[in-house]
Amino acid sequence: MSKRAELLDRLAHDVGKYVARVAHNVDASRPLAPEVRAMLCDDLYATKDGRRASELFEELAGGLPASTRRAEHIEAARRALARIDVLEVAVRRGDRAAVSEVLGAALEVERCLVASRGAR
Amino acid sequence: MMRDKPKLLVIDDGTRHVELAHAFLRDYAYATRCDEPGPCWTCPERRGCTRTHAHDAYEADEALAKHPDVDVVLLDVAFDLPEERLLPGEGKLARRKRYQGLAILERLRRKHGALPVVLMTSEDAISDDAHEVVSADELVALAGDASFDARALGALVERTLARRRTLPEGGGFAWGDAAVMATLRRDAEALARTSLPMLVLGETGTGKSALAERVIHPATGRAGRFVAVDLATLPETLVAAELFGAVRGAFSGALDRRGRFEEAHGGTLFLDEIGNLPFEVQRMLLVALQDGRITRLGESSPRAVDVKVVAATNEDLVARVRAGTFRADLLARLNPAAQLRMPPLRERGEDLPMLARALLRRRFAAGADRALVEHYLEAVGAQGNAGMPQVDLALVERSRGARAPAAPARGVLFALDVEGTRRLLRHTFPGNVRELELVLTSAAVLTLSDALDAVDRRRGGRGDDARVLPMSAKLLGSLLEQASLGTSAHSRHVGGRTFDVVPSDGLHAVARSLEIQLYEQLFRETEGDFARMAGELLGDATEAAARKVRLRFNQLGLRARRLR
């Protein structure tokens, strides 16, 4: 497996799948139970090693060839992760609109990163 | 009261899978490494707790020792752990970490047999070799996208549990295709869901207790235990205390104890050989069935019990009622109108090949028999010996055009040739399914032992070719003959002697059985004096006659040392 393919796989799995873990299992229109919100915050803002999902994304994406790094799916995932970061305080506070928005953005991140793997 | 929730064990170096399961799959119990009661999600110490699941193979051992009733394992594949926490293995450390879950799977198979496992990975994330091992294992499912989708994961767990129930290795009941079995299944499952007592009739060895334990009890949906009592093995004086319990001083030596009815509260009580229930205890059982209450011996206040009673017998209970040894009101209470009848094997001959395979697979799925197969695979250096070995049986019914049987992906195949298959299919099996199981298991174990001997003497095959083991028709025939001696025999008195006449598939076998019995009796009467035996048999006690008798004695497979 090429390094590029390996990085795209890791982006899809270690970032995409994990970021969307809670989003797949909850109804975004209803309030989240506190422990589920805690899971969501861990997945978005304190993944393995305590880093934000966006930081892990940048670290992995940084190893990709420049042309892939600028591909539409990767750029779209970066934008969705940025929206997620902006809403951190509101999400931690339990703001329903913010939670709902990051759940949608999380699914968007996963969709883009899985698609980028398929497009390799 | 419904059945206990199925129990899951999560094995994952991280916490993501267990968090997801605890948050969204709360219809299951979880095997933790913790002594606190109640589910983790109600525990105030939940956050940061490391005892919620197993993080490596060794913690999995700990959890399984604590929870031997685990139903399904959710197993991650990549384990980012220090080397000392990985299972010993060859290859680069990175690769061992990446596929540690597969090494744990192999260990689970060796130590815990037919335990269903959901691998929390996708097909494209494992190597081709690993994929081969996983796809050959009927009790492994790949979660794929369901790894992070609780609803899909729950459905996968349910499918895995259902799959286990149908497999012989998982205790599945082998129904077969005979029409009589389809009717039996429908009736058994329908009646199980009612509160009515059930009566199962059938010859010895037809599988009455298996039907009660593996079909009726699960179909009741009751949470309590399945408790079986064989009334034929209990001394008459102890039956009442065994069933209903006793209090200290109720009779000489009596201590406070619960009876089987109380043990089965909320579950199923299987009363095997109900025809053996002493007449005076029959009244007590009648009261228990009528009122749902039992009274311990020596106690005056009855206790309420909620028990599904399943009774079984091979006797004609109506005849016993006519003879005055079985209460008519008890028989009526056992719901004889809806009795189930386990057909003898001879009435479902078309199922014999399927049953033969299923019985052998189940028998070799655990315990000493499985260990023997593992030992053999190791001895011959067969590839594909990783994980749970499977055992299969090939019956060759035609000599021409038959394809060479192939061994299962992992494990051994016993191949019975045309003659062996003919003998098996023509045998009447008076001892029914039990006889079939014992004969086949014995034949398989002896075949394996012979093969191991050959390996030890460096005469046997090696590698994957050695995984197909021809089963000798002669050996099988001999075992069938021996088995029949112990089943369904009826006594005949001839010339002052008593012989057990065993129905067989030919007069030769019957005659041989009688001859063996005659030689055994004469040997004992004459204390092994062949000249006296010759005198009895031939009217000639000379040395030459004694030699003839001794020769025949040996031809019959008798051994003086064993009879003395």
Side-chain angles (χ1 to χ4, degrees), chain B residues 368-418:
Chain B
D369 298 330
R370 194 183 79 196
L372 187 62
V373 174
E374 283 171 352
H375 178 48
Y376 176 74
L377 288 172
E378 209 171 303
V380 298
Q383 298 298 306
N385 65 341
M388 183 173 71
Q390 293 168 312
V391 161
D392 209 342
L393 174 72
L395 303 179
V396 180
E397 295 187 52
R398 289 176 300 141
S399 53
R400 283 189 178 177
R403 290 171 56 191
R410 284 169 296 131
V412 297
L413 177 87
F414 295 100
L416 203 51
D417 64 10
V418 176

Side-chain angles (χ1 to χ4, degrees), chain A residues 13 17-18 21 24-26 35-36 38-39 42-43 47-48, chain B residues 15-17 19-20 23-24 26 47 80 145 148-151:
Chain A
H13 185 265
K17 293 283 178 194
Y18 287 171
R21 177 175 68 144
H24 274 300
N25 294 287
V26 296
E35 76 266 21
V36 176
M39 279 171 62
D42 282 353
D43 291 346
T47 60
K48 201 173 175 189
Chain B
T15 58
R16 284 195 163 104
H17 294 308
E19 280 176 358
L20 186 88
F24 302 110
R26 293 189 172 176
R47 190 82 178 156
D80 190 8
D145 286 344
F148 294 108
D149 182 338
R151 192 180 300 171

Side-chain angles (χ1 to χ4, degrees), chain A:
Chain A
M1 186 187 278
S2 71
K3 188 176 177 207
R4 176 176 172 275
E6 192 182 328
L7 286 170
L8 288 173
D9 274 351
R10 285 195 61 194
L11 277 167
H13 185 265
D14 296 0
V15 179
K17 293 283 178 194
Y18 287 171
V19 157
R21 177 175 68 144
V22 170
H24 274 300
N25 294 287
V26 296
D27 178 351
S29 66
R30 297 168 67 94
L32 298 189
E35 76 266 21
V36 176
R37 198 170 71 239
M39 279 171 62
L40 177 66
C41 289
D42 282 353
D43 291 346
L44 303 180
Y45 309 120
T47 60
K48 201 173 175 189
D49 307 330
R51 286 181 297 173
R52 292 167 174 280
S54 57
E55 288 176 61
L56 182 57
F57 169 84
E58 291 301 344
E59 179 192 308
L60 294 171
L64 290 170
S67 59
T68 309
R69 223 164 38 226
R70 287 193 299 272
E72 176 49 32
H73 291 312
I74 298 292
E75 284 297 330
R78 180 177 284 116
R79 286 195 297 273
L81 283 164
R83 285 208 311 277
I84 287 171
D85 282 352
V86 165
L87 291 167
E88 179 178 353
V89 175
V91 169
R92 287 196 185 277
R93 201 174 54 229
D95 181 280
R96 280 179 63 179
V99 168
S100 178
E101 189 173 344
V102 297
L103 289 173
L107 291 173
E108 173 74 4
V109 171
E110 184 195 28
R111 192 186 59 75
C112 290
L113 295 180
V114 169
S116 72
R117 188 175 56 171
R120 72 195 175 199

Side-chain angles (χ1 to χ4, degrees), chain B residues 87-230:
Chain B
L87 288 171
E90 292 168 3
K92 289 182 178 167
L93 183 61
R95 187 177 169 80
R96 283 172 57 207
K97 287 183 177 185
R98 189 171 172 192
Y99 295 120
Q100 179 66 187
L102 299 175
I104 295 175
L105 172 63
E106 185 182 334
R107 184 181 170 94
L108 288 174
R109 284 288 171 264
R110 286 190 188 282
K111 295 183 77 167
H112 302 281
L115 185 58
V117 172
V118 175
L119 276 177
M120 308 297 274
T121 189
S122 56
E123 209 166 305
D124 54 5
I126 54 176
S127 67
D128 287 348
D129 289 353
H131 186 253
E132 200 174 309
V133 170
V134 166
S135 58
D137 192 324
E138 292 170 290
L139 285 170
V140 169
L142 292 176
D145 286 344
S147 298
F148 294 108
D149 182 338
R151 192 180 300 171
L153 186 60
L156 187 60
V157 166
E158 289 304 315
R159 278 206 302 279
T160 311
L161 284 168
R163 176 84 186 124
R164 182 184 64 167
R165 284 194 288 271
T166 63
L167 287 178
E169 290 88 344
F173 192 84
W175 287 103
D177 296 323
V180 65
M181 296 305 285
T183 308
L184 177 69
R185 180 178 199 168
R186 185 197 62 203
D187 294 350
E189 290 177 348
L191 289 165
R193 288 191 282 270
T194 70
S195 58
L196 297 170
M198 294 171 69
L199 181 60
V200 184
L201 305 179
E203 291 178 9
T204 294
T206 46
K208 298 185 290 293
S209 60
L211 182 82
E213 183 171 8
R214 291 194 236 133
V215 176
I216 295 174
H217 177 60
T220 63
R222 298 164 72 88
R225 291 172 52 198
F226 175 84
V227 176
V229 186
D230 184 352

